Amino acid sequence: MLDVLENTMYKYIDTATTTTIEHTKLGVNDIVKLSVKLSVKLSVNQTKILKLIISNNYITIKEMAERIKISETAIQNNLSKLKIAGIIIRVGSDKSGYWKIVET
């Protein structure tokens, strides 16, 4: 059902004078480890949403709904649960912002 693809995520770290980009690879196993570490059981759709965010953190709710083949309301409900669990946050505005997976 879920293929084990490694996706690329860039973590931006601001320092006093420079900004560096740290390149890390996250896969489904890393998402599972994150959910265990946070004591949160992720649904299949939440795992798919996290994979989409990892592959493109500027993805819209509409794009997620089209790719996962569930309603936009279902996407919003799952995103809300992920936010409450402290797994993701939205940085910036609804239009020009991006999703960020919280490092624990």
Side-chain angles (χ1 to χ4, degrees), residues 31-43 46-47 50 81-82 84-87:
I31 293 171
V32 171
K33 288 177 190 175
L34 176 65
S35 68
V36 169
K37 190 172 188 178
L38 295 172
S39 300
V40 176
K41 183 170 169 67
L42 297 177
S43 70
Q46 290 169 349
T47 304
L50 287 174
K81 290 175 185 176
L82 291 170
I84 290 169
I87 297 173

Side-chain angles (χ1 to χ4, degrees), residues 7 10 19 25 29 41 50 57 79 81-82 89 92 94:
N7 297 301
Y10 293 94
T19 301
K25 290 198 174 228
N29 292 337
K41 183 170 169 67
L50 287 174
N57 60 344
L79 288 171
K81 290 175 185 176
L82 291 170
I89 59 171
D94 287 345

Side-chain angles (χ1 to χ4, degrees), residues 38-83:
L38 295 172
S39 300
V40 176
K41 183 170 169 67
L42 297 177
S43 70
V44 172
N45 287 336
Q46 290 169 349
T47 304
K48 289 178 182 180
I49 288 169
L50 287 174
K51 285 177 63 179
L52 290 174
I53 290 172
I54 290 168
S55 65
N56 174 13
N57 60 344
Y58 286 93
I59 193 166
T60 65
I61 290 173
K62 184 176 181 176
E63 291 171 329
M64 286 185 213
E66 289 170 357
R67 290 190 185 172
I68 298 175
K69 296 182 179 25
I70 59 175
S71 70
E72 290 182 30
T73 304
I75 295 289
Q76 290 171 339
N77 291 338
N78 281 299
L79 288 171
S80 178
K81 290 175 185 176
L82 291 170
K83 287 179 195 176

Side-chain angles (χ1 to χ4, degrees), residues 10-28:
Y10 293 94
K11 179 175 132 188
Y12 296 93
I13 306 166
D14 285 326
T15 58
T17 55
T18 62
T19 301
T20 58
I21 300 173
E22 179 183 316
H23 177 85
T24 58
K25 290 198 174 228
L26 292 177
V28 174

